[in-house]
Each structure stands twice: as C-alpha cells, then as structure tokens.
C-alpha cells in the first residue's frame, strides 16, 4: 500500500537564525543561516623544559566526563603538537579545564604535570577578531604545587562554529571512536579536467613482424592511465595506413600519467589479439592548450619498437613514424554530472570565464527522524554527515556520532556564474569509523539527497525548509528522515544576471566543434572515474560511493519505472493540446449553441480585422501569465514520488532496476521475461516513432514525385489555388473555410476529409525499410 503523499512533502520551517530577521543584502553576515552553537576551544601548541628522561609526552584534556588526547611525540623534552580541541558549551558540566601532560613511554601513562583552567574566566572570541594569543603556563603536580621545570603553551577561548579553528578541531562528540580525523568538516575541489584530443592522421614505413603478411589490419591504440581507446582499422591495407580520426580522453591536472600510443596489427578478424608495431610515450605537460577552434599543427613522432628477449626499446630512426595532432581543449566544459542536474557550465580555461553574477549560501542545520543504519551488533545507530556540491567545490560537514537527530549548523558559500545550475546535498552514514575500529570494510550508506535549482530561487530571499530524505531501495521507496536547510541566493548585478538568459548554455566550443552523443557519454564516464579517484586520495577521502551518488552515476540505466514516468510526462505535456482539441470539437459539435455562435462572431471579427490577431494572442498570454502569478510556486521544487513513479512501482520492477549491468541473474526464465517485456515496450516506442516519421515523409512526398499521379494532382491543385486566392478576396475564402470547419454536425457525413484521405495515400519511405 502506498504511503500518504504528505509524508514526502516539503515543509517550511522557521529556525532560530539571524538571517530570518536580516533579509536585506546590506545586513548579511557570515554564518547567519545557521543557529549559533557555543564551543570551548583549547589549542595545545607546545611544551618546554620537561623533566629529563621523558620519551613520549602527550597532553590529556579533561572537562567533566569528556576526555581528549593529543598525539604522542617520541623522545622529545620540548614537544610541539599544535592541535585544537572543541567542547560543546551546552554539554560542559564542569567548572574547570584540566590539562595533564603524561609520558607514554613503555606503555605507561605517568603524569608529568598539569594545568588547571577556570572555565568561567575563558574569554569570548567573536569573528572576525584576531586569534587569541597563546600563553605559557607552569606545570603543577597532582597536589597543585608548581614544578621547578616544565611549561605548557595553551590558548583557550569561547567561540562559535564560525571560528577559523572549528573545521580542524577535534570535537568532543568524537571521543568514543577511533580516527577522529574522519569526523571533521572538510572542503574539497574537483580536479581541473581537460578534453585531450588526439588526432591520429597517418603512419609511414611501418615494419611488420611477419614479412610475408599481406593486407595488414592496422589501428592505433591509445592509453591514458586506466583508459584505453582505439581507432578504426585503416582502409589502406599496407605499411602506410591513414586514419585521420580523433581519439578523445579526459585528462586531469596535475598530469600524472603520460599518453601512450601504440600502432597495432590485428591478427584475426573476430579476435582482439594484435601485435605492436611500435609505440610512443608523450608527456602531457608540454601539450598545446587551446581555448578556441584554432588549428593544431601536426607533428611526426618516431615510433619505438619493443622486441627481443629482454624487451628493450629500439628506436627505428629512418622508418616507422606517426603523424598526429595533440591538444588539450580548454574551451569545452567537461561534463562529469548528469546534464539535467549540472552544477557547473563553465569551460576548463579560466581565461574565458565570465564574472560571477551572485553568491549562493547554504546553511545545513539539522536532521530529524533518521533511520538506524549501523547493525545491531555494532551497538550504534547512525553517524551522519552531509556532502554538498556546487561547481568544482565540495563541502563536507563534520560527522555527528551515534544519533538519529544530528545538529550540524554549518554554513558554506559558492560563487555563481549561471543560474541554470543545481545545488546537490547528500546525507550519508560514516563507514570510516568502523574501518578504523578494525571491524572490516564498511561503505558509506546513502541516507538521501536534495537538489535545489538556483533559477527557482528569488534573489536575496532566505528559504528555510525541511526536505524529506527519500531513497529507492529494492524493497521500495523509503523515507530515511528529514533535513532542514537554509538557502539564499544573493544577486551581485541584476543586469548581468538577466544577460545570462541570452547566452548559450554551454561554452562556444560545444557548438563550433560539437562532440557526438557517444563521445560525450564516454567522456563523462571517464570524468566521473577520474573525479572519484582524485577525491578518494584526499585526507580524509570522499569514498567512491559518495561521489557516484552525488554525480548521479548510472542514472541513464534502463528502468521500467523511469520509462513509465517519462511516458506520463510526455502525456502531461500534450494534455494541454488535447484539451484545446477537445474544446474545438465541442464547438464544432454545437454542444452549446450560444458558445458556438459566440465563436462564429469572434471568428468574423478576426477575419475583418486581421491586424488584431497577433495583439490579441499576446494579450491573452499576458493575462494568463498575470492571472497565474497568485498561484506561483512558493517553495523550491523537490522530489515528487508520484511524478517519478516511485510510490506505485512493484517488486519485479525494483528487482530489475537494482540489477547490475551486465545482469547478475542466472535464471533464464527471469531474463527471458524481462527481455520480452523490454521488447514489448521498445516495440510500442518504435511504432510511435515510425508513425511520426511516416507522417513527415508523406508531407515531403507531396512534391518529390514519389507518386507521380499524386504529385501531379497536388501541383495542379496548387496552381488552381493560386488563381482562386488571387481572384477571391482573402477574407472570403477564410470565412468559407471557417464556416465549413464549424458547420453543424447534421451537414457532416462522419467520413475523413478529402485532404486527410489524400495525405494518407501518399507514399512514405517505409517501403524501403528491411
């Protein structure tokens, strides 16, 4: 049974944030989209003059029931830590902060000395004040007596999450887990991606391994990192093959892997086995970078042959050359996201970037009602964190441990260059913590995702809503909780913002030198893999499953649910046209006599005053637009379960949607049933497309003489129509046509009209299809 729709609805909230009162652009301040949270920050810098024989000193911080420790420094009497700790003020139930310096030598934890700090005397730091100056404190023994030697440099202050030290601080919430580094808030940047174009022209004087081989099938294999592409087999079956073909890669800065090209001789027609006739390794650092469609000079490269028992590379100085054009095209935007949800449309080269048109600010407040993700044996609920992506900038909140109602209250901002872009926020469960605790490998489970299209936001307005977190699982649609967000788009220049609506959506190179659909899909696949690999090398890493979920990898895979949903969308688009046709049919059938007579009068007015046709149409559209202003959407659009068909799908469809590609199913009956269903749907689509093509071809064949008699009749009709329309006033035949169409049903015979009969008899190109 489907869940009620209101459970998945968007809810407007009124959080206690300063941005709710200050909505003007002049009063916007940093971190005004989140609730202020008070923290006690303790920065342990270094110690000096510790007692002789100290091996591994470290500092233990004690605030009531909370404890934190710095890393231990081996064999140092003057150690340096430079670590920051943050304790949430509302959870501090002690009046003193205790800093204990201990020795970790030989597995012990003997106390060297301590410093006591009265929490009530801690000063408050308000951004953008300068950092608090640290001070030296003499160490005391356990009885409070000052030691002769040993001092600790510490800075202690009260602040909020707007403090510069917040993101790098060790939080008291992470005290119960190993590896607190994986719980901190971080900012990531996607690698700078380029399209690498390798235009393979021709090769000269290749040396075949088999001297007696005739008609060799030679192609070029290109390798960049983990990606391997190949050209077509040359039509010249000799040692001087010609291709003149582009091979496209995605390359990321810094260019770590070289481009490797190998000329191969295919040994068997239906097998992939081939023999290398020579290779060349090209570093990308010195490749030509272009921002327009300028011609790239070609260059001859000497091939190197690998041969012999020791596989040494041998240069063939007077033979075996390969001519190519190699360039890094920075005039394109490298697509790494689903095109419908792209957050960035700028080209690679920053020389072509337009000025920013505004600022996007996001406040991630809290989540409620999250589901338990961790297994029961782990004795944890959910360790939730958020990832937000816009453009090349990724942000990650800190992880709130073991709670189903986390409060993040973190604010982030991005420069906006185009309004037709989408901000994506994903919520995940942190699996790193269980890995660090030695409990095996855990994936970061997805909890839900929110998309916000910037063009649906009003300038300088603060949107505060609670978004449902919906995930489609093999068992069906499931609500994982709700997340509360605050979003604001601030416009820098109204003129620049409006001007973007007149500009092409993508950079010029996409139109001057367009790439095929197949190339774009292949390049997007490369870009997502490269982005995932680079972000997984950060510290802490963004796991592959997180990046793939944010980039909508696999969104173009076949799904019956999506096919049905798109079919319903198409019907919805044509529903307006269908309504107009039904209204005309009601007029023609004289269902309401007074309405039909009124239409006749309006028709005569339009005929006798044709200059009013266009003004009347535009004024009608204007009135409709003004009338619908009062019913305009008040909230940003969100996931619609009914539109996507997620609330009405069944188990069979879900099992097929979550099946991998290629399929993991081993039962032939299941595969056959799915294949038959796919063929049925594809057959209906094929019939619809064929019917549309047939109608268009029939119209074209009116004057192509495919049917000489029909074309002769049509040409003669056009000649007669020319004379009749020349002699008869325009208004007369328009009136006759209008009255004929609107004639009473008693004067109709119910058969198709003569033009319909004539058009349906025209030949189409279906006769030429196999």
């Amino acid at each position: 049974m489907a869940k009620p729709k209101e459970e998945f609805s968007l809810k407007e909230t009124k959080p206690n944030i300063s941005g709710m009162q200050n909505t003007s652009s002049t009063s916007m301040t940093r971190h005004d989209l989140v609730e202020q949270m008070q923290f006690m920050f303790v920065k342990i810098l270094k110690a000096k003059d510790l007692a002789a024989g100290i091996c591994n000193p470290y500092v233990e911080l004690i605030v009531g029931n909370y404890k934190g420790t710095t890393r231990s420094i081996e064999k140092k009497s003057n150690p340096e830590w430079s670590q920051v700790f943050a304790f949430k003020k509302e959870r501090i139930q002690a009046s003193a902060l205790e800093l204990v310096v201990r020795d970790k030598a030989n597995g012990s934890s003997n106390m060297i000395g301590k410093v006591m700090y009265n929490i009530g005397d801690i000063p408050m730091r308000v951004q953008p004040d300068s950092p608090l100056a640290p001070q030296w404190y003499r160490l005391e023994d356990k009885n409070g007596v000052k030691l002769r030697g040993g001092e600790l440099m510490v800075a202690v202050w009260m602040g909020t999450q707007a403090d510069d030290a917040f993101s790098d601080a060790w939080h008291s919430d992470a005290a119960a887990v190993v590896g607190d580094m994986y719980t901190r808030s971080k900012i990531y940047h996607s690698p700078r991606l380029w399209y690498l174009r390798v235009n393979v022209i021709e090769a000269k004087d290749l040396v075949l391994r088999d001297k007696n081989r005739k008609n060799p099938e030679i192609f070029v294999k290109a390798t960049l990192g983990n990606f391997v592409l190949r050209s077509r087999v040359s039509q010249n079956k000799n040692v001087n093959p010609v291709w003149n073909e582009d091979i496209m890669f995605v390359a990321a800065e810094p260019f770590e892997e070289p481009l490797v090209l190998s000329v191969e001789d295919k040994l068997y027609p239906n097998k992939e086995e081939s023999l290398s006739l020579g290779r060349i390794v090209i570093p990308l650092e010195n490749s030509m970078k272009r921002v327009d469609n300028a011609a790239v000079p070609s260059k001859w490269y000497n091939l190197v042959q690998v041969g012999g028992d020791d596989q040494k590379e041998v240069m063939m100085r007077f033979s075996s050359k390969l001519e190519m054009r190699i360039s890094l095209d920075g005039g394109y935007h490298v697509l790494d996201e689903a095109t419908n949800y792209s957050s960035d449309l700028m080209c690679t080269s920053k020389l072509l970037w337009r000025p920013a048109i505004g600022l996007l600010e996001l406040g991630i407040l809290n989540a409620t009602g999250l589901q338990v993700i961790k297994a029961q044996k782990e004795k944890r609920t959910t360790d939730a964190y958020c990832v937000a992506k816009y453009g090349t900038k990724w942000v990650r909140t800190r992880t709130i441990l073991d709670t189903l109602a986390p409060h993040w209250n973190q604010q982030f901002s991005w420069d906006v260059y185009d309004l037709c872009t989408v901000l994506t926020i994903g919520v995940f469960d942190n699996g790193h913590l269980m890995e660090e605790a030695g409990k095996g490998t855990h994936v970061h489970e997805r909890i839900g995702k929110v998309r916000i299209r910037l063009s649906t936001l009003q300038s300088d307005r603060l949107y505060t809503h609670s978004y449902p977190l919906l995930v489609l699982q093999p068992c069906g649609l499931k609500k994982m909780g709700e997340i509360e967000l605050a979003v604001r788009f601030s416009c820098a220049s109204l003129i620049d913002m409006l001007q973007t609506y007149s500009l092409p959506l993508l950079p010029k190179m996409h139109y001057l030198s367009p790439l095929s659909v197949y190339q774009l899909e292949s390049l997007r696949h490369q870009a997502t893999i490269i982005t995932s690999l680079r972000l997984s090398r950060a510290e802490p890493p963004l796991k592959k499953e997180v990046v793939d979920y944010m980039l909508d990898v696999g969104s173009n895979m076949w799904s019956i649910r999506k096919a049905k949903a798109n079919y319903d969308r198409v019907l919805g688009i044509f529903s307006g046209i269908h309504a107009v046709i039904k209204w005309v049919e009601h007029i023609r059938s004289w269902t309401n006599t007074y309405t039909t007579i009124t239409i006749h009068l309006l028709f005569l007015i339009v005929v006798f005053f044709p200059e009013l046709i266009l003004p009347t149409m535009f004024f009608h559209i204007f009135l409709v637009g003004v009338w619908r202003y009062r019913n305009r959407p008040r909230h940003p659009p969100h996931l619609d379960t009914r539109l996507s068909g997620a609330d009405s799908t069944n188990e069979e469809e879900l099992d097929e949607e979550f099946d991998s590609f290629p399929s993991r199913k081993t039962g032939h009956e299941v595969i056959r049933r799915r294949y038959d269903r796919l063929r049925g749907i594809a057959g209906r689509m094929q019939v619809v497309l064929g019917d549309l093509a047939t109608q268009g071809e029939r119209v074209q064949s009116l004057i192509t003489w495919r049917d000489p008699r029909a074309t002769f009749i049509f040409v003669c009709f056009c000649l007669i129509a020319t004379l009749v329309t020349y002699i008869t006033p325009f208004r007369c035949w328009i009136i006759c046509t209008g009255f004929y169409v609107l004639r009473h049903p008693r004067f109709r015979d119910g058969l198709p009209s003569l033009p319909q009969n004539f058009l349906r008899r025209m030949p189409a190109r279906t006769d030429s299809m196999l």
Side-chain angles (χ1 to χ4, degrees), residues 25 28 357-359 459-460 489-498:
S25 58
M28 295 178 186
I357 62 173
L359 181 69
S459 300
D460 301 326
F489 168 69
S490 306
C491 175
S493 172
L494 179 61
I495 296 177
D496 292 341
M497 181 180 66
L498 296 178

Side-chain angles (χ1 to χ4, degrees), residues 329-496:
D329 292 350
Y332 291 96
H333 167 64
V334 180
L335 297 169
D336 60 346
E337 303 171 283
T339 53
N340 294 330
Y341 309 118
S342 181
S343 64
D344 179 24
L345 299 172
M346 304 299 290
C347 59
T348 299
S349 177
K350 292 187 177 182
L351 298 175
L352 303 179
W353 284 20
R354 301 184 299 270
I357 62 173
L359 181 69
L360 172 65
E361 296 171 282
L362 170 68
I364 302 177
L365 301 177
N366 58 72
T368 56
L370 297 184
Q371 300 294 315
V372 177
I373 304 297
K374 295 289 193 300
Q376 295 293 332
K377 61 181 180 180
E378 296 171 356
K379 297 181 179 180
R380 304 181 65 80
T381 55
T382 300
D383 304 319
Y385 69 94
C386 296
V387 175
K389 181 192 184 301
Y390 184 78
T392 60
K393 180 180 175 182
W394 302 62
V395 297
R396 170 177 174 164
T397 67
R398 70 188 189 281
T399 301
I400 308 298
L401 304 178
D402 197 18
T403 178
L404 302 179
H407 288 258
W408 294 287
N409 284 305
Q410 291 184 245
Q411 184 170 338
F412 308 95
S413 63
W414 293 267
D415 289 328
V416 177
Y417 297 90
D418 198 311
L419 275 181
C420 298
T421 47
V422 177
L423 168 68
T424 304
I425 304 103
V427 186
F428 303 89
D429 174 71
N430 198 326
H432 272 304
L433 308 180
M434 309 314 296
E435 292 182 21
E436 290 294 312
K439 296 185 179 180
T441 302
H442 286 67
V443 298
H444 291 232
E445 295 288 345
R446 59 186 68 174
I447 298 178
K449 182 163 55 178
V450 175
R451 297 191 191 101
I452 301 175
R453 186 171 293 274
L454 269 62
S455 58
T456 62
L457 304 179
Q458 297 181 17
S459 300
D460 301 326
R461 175 184 170 183
L462 178 59
Y463 292 85
T464 55
H465 292 89
S466 179
Y467 295 80
L469 298 172
L470 306 176
V471 174
L472 190 63
Q473 298 178 346
C475 59
L477 182 67
K478 187 174 183 180
K479 181 179 178 181
M480 305 295 289
E482 295 184 0
I483 182 172
E484 187 175 1
L485 303 174
V487 183
R488 180 174 59 205
F489 168 69
S490 306
C491 175
S493 172
L494 179 61
I495 296 177
D496 292 341

Side-chain angles (χ1 to χ4, degrees), residues 528-563:
T528 54
I529 292 178
I530 292 174
T531 301
S532 178
L533 289 175
R534 290 294 179 92
L535 293 178
S536 65
R537 290 163 52 183
E539 197 64 38
L542 273 181
K543 295 293 288 287
K544 181 180 185 300
E545 58 267 21
V546 174
V547 178
D548 289 351
Y549 186 55
M550 297 293 290
L551 295 181
D552 283 304
V553 174
S555 59
N556 57 347
M557 292 295 294
W558 164 260
S559 166
I560 287 185
R561 177 187 62 84
K562 295 178 183 178

Side-chain angles (χ1 to χ4, degrees), residues 745-764:
R746 72 178 61 177
F747 300 113
R748 301 176 194 165
D749 54 9
L751 298 178
S753 64
L754 189 149
Q756 287 178 314
N757 295 332
F758 186 80
L759 184 61
R760 288 174 181 174
R761 293 177 178 273
M762 295 301 296

Side-chain angles (χ1 to χ4, degrees), residues 167-265:
S167 59
D168 293 327
W170 175 95
H171 287 266
S172 56
D173 295 339
V177 298
V178 181
D180 66 286
M181 176 184 63
Y182 295 110
T183 67
R184 298 177 185 172
S185 176
K186 292 294 179 182
I187 294 178
Y188 306 83
H189 284 275
S190 298
R192 192 178 181 191
L193 302 178
W194 296 75
Y195 281 155
L196 173 64
R197 187 187 298 269
V198 183
N199 180 236
V200 183
I201 304 174
E202 61 177 330
K204 290 292 186 183
D205 303 325
L206 296 177
V207 179
L208 300 178
R209 297 291 185 91
D210 186 359
K211 302 298 182 181
N212 299 323
R213 178 170 169 75
K214 297 180 180 180
N215 300 325
E217 297 187 356
I218 302 175
F219 64 92
V220 176
K221 183 173 70 174
T223 305
L224 182 65
N226 298 324
F227 302 102
V228 179
L229 299 176
R230 50 174 290 177
S231 70
R232 67 180 186 275
V233 175
S234 173
Q235 298 297 320
N236 297 24
K237 305 293 185 178
N238 52 42
V239 295
N240 299 314
V242 177
W243 299 279
N244 196 20
E245 180 180 352
D246 282 345
I247 300 176
M248 300 284 291
F249 286 100
V250 174
E253 290 186 354
F255 304 114
E256 298 175 346
E257 298 94 358
L259 173 66
V260 180
L261 295 122
S262 175
V263 180
E264 304 278 332
D265 181 12

Side-chain angles (χ1 to χ4, degrees), residues 71-117:
R71 63 184 183 277
S72 60
I73 307 296
E74 295 185 1
K75 300 180 181 180
K76 288 282 186 179
S77 58
N78 298 314
E80 295 184 7
W81 294 282
S82 295
Q83 290 183 248
V84 182
F85 297 80
F87 297 88
K88 192 176 292 187
K89 184 178 179 181
E90 62 185 23
R91 296 188 179 181
I92 297 177
Q93 299 179 354
S95 59
L97 166 65
E98 187 176 359
L99 307 176
V100 183
V101 181
R102 296 185 181 275
D103 180 13
K104 203 175 182 180
N106 300 323
S108 62
S109 57
N110 298 324
M111 187 180 79
I112 302 170
K114 66 177 181 178
V115 174
M116 299 295 294
Y117 211 105

